[in-house]
Amino acid sequence: MNKIKIGIIGGTGYTGVELLRLLASHRNAELVCITSRAEEGIHVASLFPSLRNHYDLSFEDPSKADLTKCDVIFCATPNGIAMKHSPNLIDAGVKVIDLSADFRISDVDIWEAWYGMEHACPERLSDAVYGLPEVNREAIRKATLIANPGCYPTAIQLGFLPLVENGLIDASSLIADAKSGVSGAGRKAAIGTALCEVGDSFKAYSVSGHRHLPEIKQGLQLLTKQVVDLVFTPHLLPMIRGIHATLYGKLVGKGLEMSESELRQIFVERFDSEPFVDIMPLGSHPDTRSVRGSNHCRISIHRPQGGDTVVILAVEDNLVKGAAGQAIQNMNLMCGLDETSGINNVALIP
Amino acid sequence: MNKIKIGIIGGTGYTGVELLRLLASHRNAELVCITSRAEEGIHVASLFPSLRNHYDLSFEDPSKADLTKCDVIFCATPNGIAMKHSPNLIDAGVKVIDLSADFRISDVDIWEAWYGMEHACPERLSDAVYGLPEVNREAIRKATLIANPGCYPTAIQLGFLPLVENGLIDASSLIADAKSGVSGAGRKAAIGTALCEVGDSFKAYSVSGHRHLPEIKQGLQLLTKQVVDLVFTPHLLPMIRGIHATLYGKLVGKGLEMSESELRQIFVERFDSEPFVDIMPLGSHPDTRSVRGSNHCRISIHRPQGGDTVVILAVEDNLVKGAAGQAIQNMNLMCGLDETSGINNVALIP
Amino acid sequence: MNKIKIGIIGGTGYTGVELLRLLASHRNAELVCITSRAEEGIHVASLFPSLRNHYDLSFEDPSKADLTKCDVIFCATPNGIAMKHSPNLIDAGVKVIDLSADFRISDVDIWEAWYGMEHACPERLSDAVYGLPEVNREAIRKATLIANPGCYPTAIQLGFLPLVENGLIDASSLIADAKSGVSGAGRKAAIGTALCEVGDSFKAYSVSGHRHLPEIKQGLQLLTKQVVDLVFTPHLLPMIRGIHATLYGKLVGKGLEMSESELRQIFVERFDSEPFVDIMPLGSHPDTRSVRGSNHCRISIHRPQGGDTVVILAVEDNLVKGAAGQAIQNMNLMCGLDETSGINNVALIP
Amino acid sequence: MNKIKIGIIGGTGYTGVELLRLLASHRNAELVCITSRAEEGIHVASLFPSLRNHYDLSFEDPSKADLTKCDVIFCATPNGIAMKHSPNLIDAGVKVIDLSADFRISDVDIWEAWYGMEHACPERLSDAVYGLPEVNREAIRKATLIANPGCYPTAIQLGFLPLVENGLIDASSLIADAKSGVSGAGRKAAIGTALCEVGDSFKAYSVSGHRHLPEIKQGLQLLTKQVVDLVFTPHLLPMIRGIHATLYGKLVGKGLEMSESELRQIFVERFDSEPFVDIMPLGSHPDTRSVRGSNHCRISIHRPQGGDTVVILAVEDNLVKGAAGQAIQNMNLMCGLDETSGINNVALIP
């Protein structure tokens, strides 16, 4: 079988180097082009010595690179870039997987309000498929443009999904207390992500409103006729990778009558055939390291003290299931490959 | 003025060495005795080189030490020890400050259920004053036995207190999503607190029920006639010191009509004269390092998206305001000293 | 091709779980047995949730397990165990790779002096091949018993090797200032490796003499007729994985006449065909994360200020090239497989 | 007694906030002015919430601030700034303590070569006293301009000093393998100090030549008639504070005849009356946390295997004894105060 020709736009960030790490062991994919305005001409292994002997490729200027020779393009760019490149690429027959937020929100007004810029191609929003395979697998297979979900939204939607779908919790009073490793903030020169500022410390941020809020609400709203509302509190962990979402829902209706074990069973059944969603045994507390470098989302379900609040714990690696791994999962689906190809490695413990 | 003679029972743990650190710069206190069964005869500075040149004292066997020569005894022992020592000491005229949980719960049945042992002196429980100065200052001044609050309960009670006292939130559906540095687990040989197990990772624990739950509920229940109920989810942070409590309350009654700024004002007024509770400016996100090594609890108040949930962020150093610092604050009150004496240092940043 | 049947004795430590991680993606190997006295009957994925869905195997009691059905056995046990199991296994036709120190020192008196116990099978020491492929590749291919090198000795020998072989430095005054992540101390309940003790701190240890010293000296002595002597100073890094060896040698003879670039060229030529030794560009400072989870050893060569001291920087992942990865590299060689099979993944950055 | 009036130029970096932390508990000092071009008008506690309730002062523009009202000015500025401000301040009768490198090197050509700029006031270099109290105490008492030593040079000079002074090691072949926490790189927006780049990793840097090299050589050269030469290898630790210097010297002459204990005794005697140099017991390995936040330098002496290399381990907090604490120690000496005033706190453990 011929290898799929891959291009990466904007490969100098953490999602870019994670794509490179995972694609290096993907048997059916071959990187043929990677771009970066700032690092043009630099060998990828000069920037990331971990890639030495794995790639022989240098960054190209995006305006000069011939990206249409690719079968699939990953946009690992800051918000606002992919929406400029994608229309031409798609029209040229290239499949595009956007890891930024440009195509995640279907309502352009909401997108523009939260992202503070004008959308470059609102007419393409309806073509974009939200790349959460556990919800949209069949649509993803046929898609030409994927809006790869945000890191927080992936964990939070997967954690709430079976309860919201089945009307077991009050969708209008959800709470997501989420914690992320610093790599979620991207690779950039900034005091706010310096080791001396965020190491050995912990804090919340953007409590008044984080850009992933409308994405989460949109995703959950599609699952229920109830009005969805959410308090979403992001926090910054003194570590590199990993998201832990602690989710709170008020049990209602049948949910109130279900034991912890029965609630867990709802999850087991919903995700039974999912290769990357792992429902932990009763009483578990998944740790983020159990998914470090892997594409799994591990979830456990609690009903503390038998009260009317269900507590869901969901962990993922923000750079894998929360970004590059899920993007490759989407590529595998779009290209008719084994869904787990290249992303079925074991997490790095310790 | 004569210095107060201090004794410490069980000085080899993290609260013990933190007492030693703080007392070394306390002008009105003098350590005269420190005990440890395991380390009898060992110089304190042999165990903790940070204390070299600050103390010239060795650990004594608790059964041989003459503790009645002390004015104040701190019990920095595991649960179940202080309740055996305290009655005799108090009867001999010594003031006792217990940093363990032995005297924190006034209902002996609840205590025995959560702590899994028989209480040695239930008749003394009513003599114990719960050592949260922001609630019990006057009682503390006159007390002979202090139940020094737990680390989580301190941050969580201070964070909910003004809202519960004023009936602004529904006390029956509180959520406390709390995160602690590993020092909260104490100083002991255990795989579960090894750097390779909890470093660079994050997880929840004891979601089904943590021993601090009844203590928090008891404390908040004293402030209101509503029935208090709480979901309390502790998590373990990959760092040494610091607690961050993210608290969620459903606004009710007048609370629903109050802006974020007005809600904050309730806190400002309640803690106006408190030396160690710091209400942050609107929109703040206190980080735990801002209280690293200091006795402050910093609190900020949010009402995200103007919704009906108030979000309180409260940080403290679990070993200072959550343990040794608060114990010294109580000692200062009991002994008629300046309340801030010895514990007014600046946090260590970076 | 039939898969090689693998057994692991003592699979509950960090080298054990690392073997499991790597073997999970090895196409020609199949784990058929894993033992642990303490965890008998426990599923491997119960102990290490990262392995969920990758293995369906429980720990067996080593005295009950039929290990002779295996083609290759890895001993990932504490020192002193492998020497008891190995003779019978080898006699039964099983290839044994010992990740402990039992067969690393050919002089039994030296071994017994440093390891403080009597050797159980000194007559087998001469059968053991020291498993450093860069030195002993051909012997490894034919071996039935491999003494897998220690973590420090791997990095230090590789770093000094070309200089000692070529007589470019004074072998009698070597200095190895080496730093290791905490996983090098193994997985066990101990105060000394608790996050609160070794996190955010750094120290040397065993400066008076570390067990890896005789192993390093023995290895280097085989390369030269000069008398080898070494000062070896191990340090503990506040991190999980990774060894950084900073090596100092006094240039002599031709070495004194060589530029930094010429010295580097000696390394390039020596390791030209080595799949896992990477000589970095001039002026480089390899970081340990560049080999996190990978089997590479990256080396750079410096001659600061043009003085007569050469400084070699060598990094490896102590659990991979310093333990489990190198063990699999040895297995690949012993079994006639591609030497890089199962261990050619990219390091995890960030 | 009147308090000494303190000014700080450039108070927004880590040495600036550390000066603020320490001065807050100094009984004889009062901060009256702090400047920052970038943060003019911002309250110090807005930038550093740890200072809330400790200071009521905002940053002033350095060109507008009246610094001559101060008794002592600390320059906590990047290199190249203090040399512009100092002459006028000194001429106006203000004592200046420069924490940057501007006055550390007495040979202006060497300074200009290493720092890459022209010196603004070479005629003042001879007035500057190198502020290492253990060497220059009497000169410091009388000085008007202090060149506060660099962080690495403090630990390395103190560690080698007794051996070089007494001619016990070959001063021409010293090796200093030094490791620093990231705060040594200062507070700035830079990828190179981001948590995701330097966390959980370790590397050497500037092996070809670091600016502290000429400072160390100059300091040691003043102690001996031998020619001093040094290989200095700095490394970056994945932690915030702390320097660990591992020092290697070849014993010569009488040194060769001395036992580890006798060598240690040389240190004990040399530093007998020093309040901030602590010679550890035989066999010790000081950890950096034992000086976290304190002004001590702890040193231990080893002669491994009885060989001819002595190994010195020296730890300090780079921001305290390596910067702000030593600066205050110098201020105390210059102003006739108790040398330990304000800097005698216990290190923060854990």
Side-chain angles (χ1 to χ4, degrees):
Chain A
M1 179 178 153
N2 283 341
K3 291 197 174 189
I4 294 163
K5 293 194 186 70
I6 306 287
I8 297 176
I9 303 180
T12 63
Y14 293 138
T15 53
V17 66
E18 189 69 353
L19 282 168
L20 291 167
R21 178 179 76 88
L22 293 168
L23 289 170
S25 62
H26 195 299
R27 300 184 208 172
N28 306 113
E30 180 190 8
L31 185 70
V32 297
C33 181
I34 185 163
T35 74
S36 162
R37 207 174 305 273
E39 306 288 345
E40 186 190 357
I42 302 295
H43 197 283
V44 294
S46 295
L47 201 61
F48 300 113
S50 55
L51 301 175
R52 287 170 64 88
N53 305 319
H54 288 283
Y55 286 99
D56 190 15
L57 216 65
S58 295
F59 292 105
E60 299 179 53
D61 185 298
S63 64
K64 299 177 196 159
D66 175 15
L67 292 164
T68 59
K69 70 183 170 194
C70 300
D71 300 309
V72 177
I73 294 279
F74 294 97
C75 294
T77 43
N79 298 323
I81 308 294
M83 64 188 181
K84 291 176 187 151
H85 286 281
S86 299
N88 287 344
L89 290 168
I90 293 168
D91 292 348
V94 180
K95 297 178 202 294
V96 173
I97 299 173
D98 177 23
L99 285 83
S100 82
D102 288 6
F103 297 99
R104 289 180 193 159
I105 305 290
S106 54
D107 182 325
V108 69
D109 294 333
I110 294 180
W111 191 89
E112 293 183 345
W114 280 90
Y115 288 90
M117 55 181 120
E118 196 180 347
H119 202 286
C121 56
E123 73 283 1
R124 302 281 181 150
L125 285 172
S126 59
D127 296 341
V129 174
Y130 188 69
L132 193 62
E134 292 77 9
V135 173
N136 290 334
R137 183 168 284 109
E138 293 316 309
I140 292 166
R141 289 193 208 277
K142 299 172 208 149
T144 54
L145 172 58
I146 293 289
N148 208 58
C151 51
Y152 284 124
T154 296
I156 294 171
Q157 288 177 85
L158 292 176
F160 275 132
L161 189 153
L163 300 171
V164 170
E165 270 182 353
N166 289 284
L168 303 175
I169 54 175
D170 176 2
S172 72
S173 68
L174 306 174
I175 292 175
D177 191 287
K179 303 88 175 171
S180 174
V182 181
S183 60
R187 183 169 174 274
K188 62 191 174 199
I191 286 186
T193 52
L195 183 139
C196 292
E197 298 292 311
V198 295
D200 200 38
S201 189
F202 182 75
K203 66 168 181 177
Y205 66 100
S206 298
V207 174
S208 62
H210 183 285
R211 287 170 171 183
H212 284 174
L213 178 61
E215 180 183 343
I216 298 166
K217 285 167 79 168
Q218 169 184 281
L220 294 176
Q221 191 62 76
L222 293 171
L223 309 173
T224 179
K225 290 177 182 165
Q226 288 183 58
V227 173
V228 170
D229 205 5
L230 187 80
V231 173
F232 168 43
T233 317
H235 301 75
L236 198 57
L237 286 163
M239 61 187 219
I240 297 174
R241 288 168 178 250
I243 279 183
H244 186 291
T246 312
L247 309 176
Y248 299 90
K250 279 283 169 197
L251 292 163
V252 292
K254 280 188 192 167
L256 272 171
E257 295 160 28
M258 299 176 82
S259 67
E260 194 168 277
S261 173
E262 289 165 328
L263 289 165
R264 176 180 175 276
Q265 194 56 29
I266 297 286
F267 280 76
V268 169
E269 286 163 20
R270 175 58 178 82
F271 294 121
D272 186 40
S273 59
E274 288 298 336
F276 295 117
V277 180
D278 178 25
I279 307 305
M280 304 281 291
L282 272 182
S284 297
H285 303 92
D287 49 4
T288 60
R289 67 176 189 148
S290 76
V291 294
R292 185 192 290 134
S294 101
N295 198 49
H296 287 83
C297 176
R298 299 195 201 280
I299 297 177
S300 77
I301 296 92
H302 295 259
R303 189 177 171 176
Q305 312 285 309
D308 58 3
T309 301
V310 60
V311 181
I312 309 300
L313 313 175
V315 298
E316 66 172 21
D317 185 322
N318 55 302
L319 295 179
V320 191
K321 185 62 177 168
Q326 184 145 270
I328 293 172
Q329 188 178 356
N330 282 317
M331 177 193 82
N332 288 340
L333 289 168
M334 295 167 91
C335 299
L337 303 172
D338 173 358
E339 187 171 342
T340 69
S341 190
I343 46 176
N344 203 18
N345 60 303
V346 176
L348 195 75
I349 283 188
Chain B
M1 179 179 153
N2 282 341
K3 292 197 173 188
I4 294 162
K5 294 193 186 70
I6 307 286
I8 297 176
I9 303 179
T12 63
Y14 293 138
T15 53
V17 66
E18 188 69 353
L19 282 167
L20 291 167
R21 178 179 75 89
L22 293 167
L23 289 169
S25 61
H26 195 299
R27 300 184 208 173
N28 307 113
E30 181 189 6
L31 185 70
V32 296
C33 181
I34 185 164
T35 75
S36 161
R37 207 174 306 272
E39 306 288 345
E40 186 192 357
I42 303 294
H43 197 282
V44 294
S46 295
L47 202 61
F48 301 113
S50 56
L51 301 174
R52 286 170 62 89
N53 305 318
H54 288 284
Y55 286 99
D56 190 16
L57 215 65
S58 296
F59 292 105
E60 298 179 51
D61 185 297
S63 63
K64 299 177 196 160
D66 176 16
L67 292 163
T68 58
K69 71 184 169 193
C70 300
D71 300 309
V72 176
I73 295 278
F74 294 97
C75 294
T77 42
N79 298 323
I81 307 294
M83 64 188 180
K84 292 176 186 151
H85 286 281
S86 299
N88 287 344
L89 290 168
I90 294 167
D91 292 347
V94 181
K95 297 179 203 291
V96 173
I97 300 173
D98 177 22
L99 285 84
S100 81
D102 288 6
F103 298 99
R104 290 180 193 159
I105 305 289
S106 55
D107 182 325
V108 69
D109 295 333
I110 294 179
W111 190 89
E112 293 183 345
W114 281 90
Y115 288 90
M117 55 181 120
E118 196 180 348
H119 202 287
C121 56
E123 74 283 1
R124 302 283 180 147
L125 285 173
S126 59
D127 296 341
V129 174
Y130 189 68
L132 193 61
E134 292 77 7
V135 173
N136 290 333
R137 182 167 285 109
E138 291 317 308
I140 292 166
R141 288 193 208 277
K142 298 172 209 150
T144 53
L145 171 59
I146 293 289
N148 208 59
C151 50
Y152 285 124
T154 296
I156 294 171
Q157 288 176 85
L158 292 176
F160 275 132
L161 189 153
L163 299 171
V164 169
E165 271 182 354
N166 289 283
L168 302 175
I169 54 175
D170 176 1
S172 72
S173 67
L174 306 175
I175 292 176
D177 191 288
K179 301 88 175 172
S180 174
V182 182
S183 61
R187 182 171 175 274
K188 62 191 172 200
I191 287 186
T193 51
L195 184 139
C196 293
E197 298 291 312
V198 295
D200 200 38
S201 189
F202 181 75
K203 66 168 183 177
Y205 66 100
S206 297
V207 175
S208 61
H210 183 285
R211 287 170 172 182
H212 285 173
L213 177 62
E215 180 183 343
I216 298 165
K217 285 168 79 167
Q218 170 185 282
L220 294 176
Q221 191 62 75
L222 293 171
L223 308 172
T224 179
K225 289 177 182 165
Q226 288 182 56
V227 173
V228 170
D229 205 5
L230 186 80
V231 173
F232 167 44
T233 316
H235 301 74
L236 199 58
L237 285 162
M239 60 186 221
I240 297 174
R241 286 167 178 250
I243 279 182
H244 186 291
T246 312
L247 309 175
Y248 300 90
K250 280 282 171 198
L251 292 164
V252 292
K254 279 189 193 168
L256 273 171
E257 296 160 29
M258 299 177 82
S259 67
E260 194 168 277
S261 172
E262 288 165 328
L263 288 164
R264 176 180 176 275
Q265 194 55 29
I266 298 286
F267 280 75
V268 168
E269 284 164 19
R270 175 58 178 82
F271 294 121
D272 186 40
S273 60
E274 288 299 335
F276 294 118
V277 180
D278 177 25
I279 307 306
M280 304 281 290
L282 271 183
S284 296
H285 302 93
D287 49 4
T288 59
R289 67 177 189 147
S290 76
V291 293
R292 186 191 290 133
S294 101
N295 198 48
H296 287 84
C297 175
R298 299 196 200 279
I299 296 177
S300 77
I301 296 91
H302 295 260
R303 189 176 172 178
Q305 313 285 310
D308 59 2
T309 300
V310 62
V311 181
I312 309 300
L313 313 174
V315 298
E316 65 172 22
D317 185 321
N318 55 301
L319 296 179
V320 191
K321 184 62 176 168
Q326 184 144 270
I328 293 173
Q329 188 179 356
N330 282 318
M331 177 194 81
N332 288 341
L333 288 168
M334 294 166 92
C335 298
L337 302 172
D338 174 0
E339 188 171 341
T340 69
S341 190
I343 45 176
N344 204 19
N345 59 304
V346 177
L348 196 74
I349 285 188
Chain C
M1 178 178 152
N2 282 340
K3 292 195 174 190
I4 295 162
K5 294 194 187 69
I6 306 287
I8 298 176
I9 303 179
T12 64
Y14 293 138
T15 52
V17 66
E18 189 69 353
L19 283 167
L20 291 167
R21 178 180 75 88
L22 294 167
L23 290 170
S25 61
H26 195 299
R27 299 181 207 175
N28 308 112
E30 181 190 8
L31 185 70
V32 297
C33 181
I34 185 164
T35 75
S36 162
R37 207 174 306 272
E39 306 288 344
E40 186 191 358
I42 302 294
H43 197 283
V44 293
S46 295
L47 202 62
F48 300 113
S50 55
L51 301 174
R52 286 169 64 89
N53 304 319
H54 288 283
Y55 286 98
D56 190 16
L57 215 65
S58 295
F59 293 105
E60 298 180 52
D61 184 298
S63 64
K64 299 176 195 161
D66 175 16
L67 293 163
T68 58
K69 70 184 171 192
C70 300
D71 300 308
V72 176
I73 295 278
F74 294 97
C75 293
T77 43
N79 299 323
I81 308 293
M83 64 188 181
K84 292 175 187 151
H85 286 280
S86 299
N88 287 343
L89 289 168
I90 293 167
D91 293 347
V94 181
K95 296 178 203 292
V96 173
I97 300 173
D98 176 23
L99 285 84
S100 82
D102 288 6
F103 297 99
R104 289 180 193 157
I105 305 290
S106 55
D107 182 325
V108 69
D109 294 333
I110 293 180
W111 190 88
E112 293 184 345
W114 281 90
Y115 288 90
M117 53 182 123
E118 196 180 346
H119 202 285
C121 56
E123 73 284 2
R124 301 282 180 149
L125 285 172
S126 59
D127 296 340
V129 174
Y130 189 69
L132 193 61
E134 292 78 7
V135 174
N136 289 334
R137 183 168 283 108
E138 293 315 310
I140 293 166
R141 289 193 208 275
K142 299 172 208 149
T144 53
L145 172 58
I146 293 288
N148 208 59
C151 50
Y152 285 124
T154 296
I156 294 171
Q157 289 177 85
L158 292 176
F160 273 133
L161 189 153
L163 299 171
V164 170
E165 271 183 354
N166 289 283
L168 302 176
I169 54 175
D170 176 1
S172 73
S173 68
L174 306 175
I175 292 176
D177 191 287
K179 303 88 174 173
S180 174
V182 181
S183 61
R187 183 171 174 273
K188 61 191 174 199
I191 286 186
T193 51
L195 183 140
C196 293
E197 297 292 310
V198 294
D200 200 38
S201 189
F202 182 75
K203 65 168 181 178
Y205 66 100
S206 297
V207 174
S208 63
H210 183 285
R211 288 170 171 182
H212 285 173
L213 177 61
E215 180 183 343
I216 299 165
K217 284 168 78 168
Q218 169 185 283
L220 293 176
Q221 191 61 75
L222 293 171
L223 308 173
T224 179
K225 290 178 181 164
Q226 288 182 57
V227 172
V228 170
D229 205 5
L230 187 79
V231 173
F232 167 44
T233 317
H235 301 74
L236 198 58
L237 286 163
M239 61 187 220
I240 297 174
R241 286 168 178 251
I243 279 183
H244 186 292
T246 313
L247 309 176
Y248 300 90
K250 281 282 170 199
L251 292 164
V252 293
K254 280 189 192 168
L256 272 171
E257 295 159 30
M258 298 176 83
S259 67
E260 194 168 277
S261 173
E262 289 165 327
L263 289 165
R264 177 180 175 277
Q265 194 55 29
I266 297 288
F267 280 75
V268 169
E269 285 163 19
R270 176 59 177 81
F271 293 121
D272 186 39
S273 60
E274 288 298 336
F276 295 118
V277 180
D278 178 25
I279 307 306
M280 303 282 291
L282 272 183
S284 297
H285 302 93
D287 48 4
T288 60
R289 66 176 190 148
S290 76
V291 293
R292 187 192 290 133
S294 101
N295 198 48
H296 287 83
C297 176
R298 299 195 200 280
I299 297 177
S300 77
I301 295 91
H302 295 260
R303 187 175 173 178
Q305 313 285 311
D308 59 2
T309 301
V310 60
V311 181
I312 309 300
L313 314 175
V315 297
E316 66 172 20
D317 185 322
N318 55 303
L319 296 179
V320 190
K321 184 62 177 169
Q326 184 145 269
I328 292 173
Q329 188 178 356
N330 283 317
M331 177 194 80
N332 288 341
L333 288 167
M334 295 166 92
C335 298
L337 303 172
D338 174 358
E339 187 171 341
T340 69
S341 190
I343 46 175
N344 203 19
N345 59 303
V346 177
L348 196 75
I349 283 187
Chain D
M1 178 178 153
N2 282 341
K3 291 195 173 188
I4 295 161
K5 293 192 188 71
I6 307 287
I8 297 176
I9 303 180
T12 64
Y14 292 138
T15 52
V17 66
E18 189 69 353
L19 282 167
L20 291 167
R21 178 180 75 90
L22 294 167
L23 290 170
S25 62
H26 195 300
R27 298 182 208 176
N28 307 113
E30 181 189 7
L31 184 70
V32 297
C33 181
I34 184 163
T35 75
S36 161
R37 207 174 305 272
E39 306 288 344
E40 186 190 359
I42 302 294
H43 196 283
V44 293
S46 295
L47 202 62
F48 300 113
S50 55
L51 302 174
R52 286 169 64 88
N53 304 319
H54 288 284
Y55 286 99
D56 191 15
L57 215 66
S58 295
F59 293 106
E60 299 179 52
D61 184 298
S63 64
K64 299 177 195 160
D66 175 16
L67 292 163
T68 58
K69 70 183 171 193
C70 299
D71 300 309
V72 176
I73 295 278
F74 294 97
C75 294
T77 43
N79 299 323
I81 307 293
M83 64 188 182
K84 291 176 187 152
H85 286 280
S86 299
N88 287 344
L89 289 169
I90 293 167
D91 293 347
V94 181
K95 297 179 203 291
V96 173
I97 300 173
D98 177 23
L99 285 83
S100 81
D102 289 6
F103 298 99
R104 289 180 192 158
I105 305 289
S106 56
D107 182 325
V108 69
D109 294 333
I110 293 180
W111 191 88
E112 293 184 345
W114 281 89
Y115 288 90
M117 54 181 122
E118 195 180 347
H119 202 287
C121 57
E123 74 284 0
R124 301 283 180 148
L125 285 172
S126 59
D127 296 342
V129 173
Y130 189 69
L132 193 60
E134 292 77 7
V135 173
N136 289 333
R137 182 168 284 108
E138 292 316 308
I140 292 165
R141 289 192 209 276
K142 299 172 208 149
T144 53
L145 172 59
I146 293 288
N148 208 59
C151 50
Y152 285 123
T154 296
I156 293 171
Q157 288 176 85
L158 292 176
F160 274 133
L161 188 153
L163 300 171
V164 170
E165 271 183 354
N166 289 284
L168 302 176
I169 55 175
D170 177 1
S172 72
S173 67
L174 306 174
I175 292 176
D177 191 287
K179 302 88 174 172
S180 174
V182 181
S183 60
R187 183 171 173 273
K188 62 191 173 200
I191 286 186
T193 51
L195 183 139
C196 292
E197 298 292 312
V198 295
D200 201 37
S201 189
F202 181 75
K203 65 169 183 178
Y205 65 100
S206 297
V207 175
S208 62
H210 183 285
R211 287 169 171 182
H212 285 173
L213 177 61
E215 180 182 343
I216 297 165
K217 284 168 79 167
Q218 169 184 282
L220 293 176
Q221 190 61 76
L222 293 171
L223 307 173
T224 179
K225 289 178 182 166
Q226 288 183 56
V227 172
V228 170
D229 205 5
L230 186 79
V231 173
F232 167 43
T233 316
H235 301 74
L236 198 58
L237 285 163
M239 61 185 219
I240 297 174
R241 287 168 179 251
I243 278 182
H244 186 291
T246 312
L247 309 175
Y248 300 90
K250 280 282 170 198
L251 292 165
V252 292
K254 279 190 193 166
L256 272 171
E257 296 161 28
M258 298 176 83
S259 67
E260 193 168 277
S261 172
E262 289 166 327
L263 288 165
R264 176 180 176 277
Q265 194 55 29
I266 297 287
F267 280 75
V268 169
E269 284 163 20
R270 175 58 178 82
F271 294 122
D272 186 40
S273 60
E274 288 299 336
F276 294 117
V277 180
D278 178 24
I279 307 305
M280 304 282 290
L282 271 182
S284 297
H285 303 92
D287 49 3
T288 59
R289 67 176 190 149
S290 76
V291 294
R292 186 192 290 134
S294 102
N295 198 48
H296 287 84
C297 176
R298 299 196 201 279
I299 295 176
S300 77
I301 295 91
H302 294 261
R303 188 176 173 177
Q305 313 284 311
D308 59 3
T309 301
V310 61
V311 181
I312 309 301
L313 314 175
V315 298
E316 66 172 21
D317 184 323
N318 56 302
L319 296 179
V320 190
K321 184 61 176 169
Q326 184 145 271
I328 293 173
Q329 189 178 356
N330 282 317
M331 177 194 82
N332 288 340
L333 288 168
M334 294 166 91
C335 299
L337 303 172
D338 174 358
E339 187 170 342
T340 69
S341 191
I343 45 175
N344 203 21
N345 60 302
V346 177
L348 195 75
I349 284 187

